[in-house]
Amino acid sequence: MLMKTLYVLLALSIVAIVAAVGAMVWRLRWHLRRPHVTPPSAVPDVTPEEEPVEKSLT
């Protein structure tokens, strides 16, 4: 009885791994098939002003 339980657990684990890998491949293919559209950013691109670096006396 113990061996049958362990066999069922092993089979379920393998099925879960195969399902996860299949879902990951399907999601990756779907993602790569989509056109690359970048959503408009809510924050405008702001470049920081360059300030002179003060030399420290060390």
Side-chain angles (χ1 to χ4, degrees), residues 40-56:
S41 178
V43 180
D45 292 334
V46 178
T47 56
E49 296 179 12
E50 294 184 16
E51 297 179 5
V53 178
E54 297 178 9
K55 293 184 179 179
S56 61

Side-chain angles (χ1 to χ4, degrees), residues 23-42:
M24 184 174 54
V25 169
W26 178 74
R27 175 78 175 172
L28 180 64
R29 289 185 62 187
W30 176 78
H31 178 71
L32 291 177
R33 224 180 290 152
R34 281 190 321 168
H36 295 287
V37 177
T38 55
S41 178

